[in-house]
Amino acid sequence: ILMIDFALDVQRREGKNARDAIYEACLLRFRPITMTTLAAILGAVPIAIGAGAGAELRQPLGIAVVGGLCVSQLLTLYITPVVYIWLDVVDTYLSGRSKPKPAVEGFIGDAQQQPAQ
């Protein structure tokens, strides 16, 4: 949500394309996203380590929480920008706004146009 909200704001305010907007959002929001996830992981580590009375019952929950947070962090940082760019290409295509410009070079087969002779 942090990256998408920031990228949409940059697109609207500064008129950047989707690729540049999400790139800037990733650079500026990396630290807050990572810090939030690390805080949650470190909060669940004592449960995952499982020390104390009755810990064997809570340890699987702690392991699942830590593992889920690690996977969600990777998905957030790598998959979200890709999906954002893809959805921008689809939106541009479906809205009928001229020919959709690929957000990534060579993404939609943007062949060089030969000048008319």
Side-chain angles (χ1 to χ4, degrees):
I1 291 174
L2 289 173
M3 280 193 298
I4 299 300
D5 183 47
F6 188 84
L8 286 172
D9 186 48
V10 167
Q11 267 189 293
R12 290 180 186 136
R13 206 172 9 97
E14 299 177 16
K16 291 186 177 183
N17 65 14
R19 182 177 179 269
D20 293 338
I22 196 69
Y23 180 74
E24 186 176 339
C26 290
L27 290 177
L28 294 175
R29 296 297 174 204
F30 175 76
R31 189 173 62 167
I33 291 169
T34 304
M35 289 172 60
T36 303
T37 303
L38 283 176
I41 288 172
L42 292 175
V45 165
I47 299 171
I49 291 173
E56 65 275 356
L57 297 174
R58 293 185 303 271
Q59 188 176 16
L61 173 65
I63 293 170
V65 168
V66 169
L69 285 167
C70 291
V71 170
S72 71
Q73 176 76 0
L74 290 174
L75 290 175
T76 297
L77 294 176
Y78 291 106
I79 302 300
T80 302
V82 173
V83 171
Y84 183 82
I85 292 170
W86 284 351
L87 289 177
D88 183 67
V89 170
V90 170
D91 178 53
T92 303
Y93 179 74
L94 292 178
S95 68
R97 291 181 271 163
S98 67
K99 180 183 173 195
K101 291 184 178 179
V104 178
E105 294 295 325
F107 184 72
I108 300 184
D110 54 336
Q112 292 285 339
Q113 295 288 334
Q114 297 295 331
Q117 294 179 350

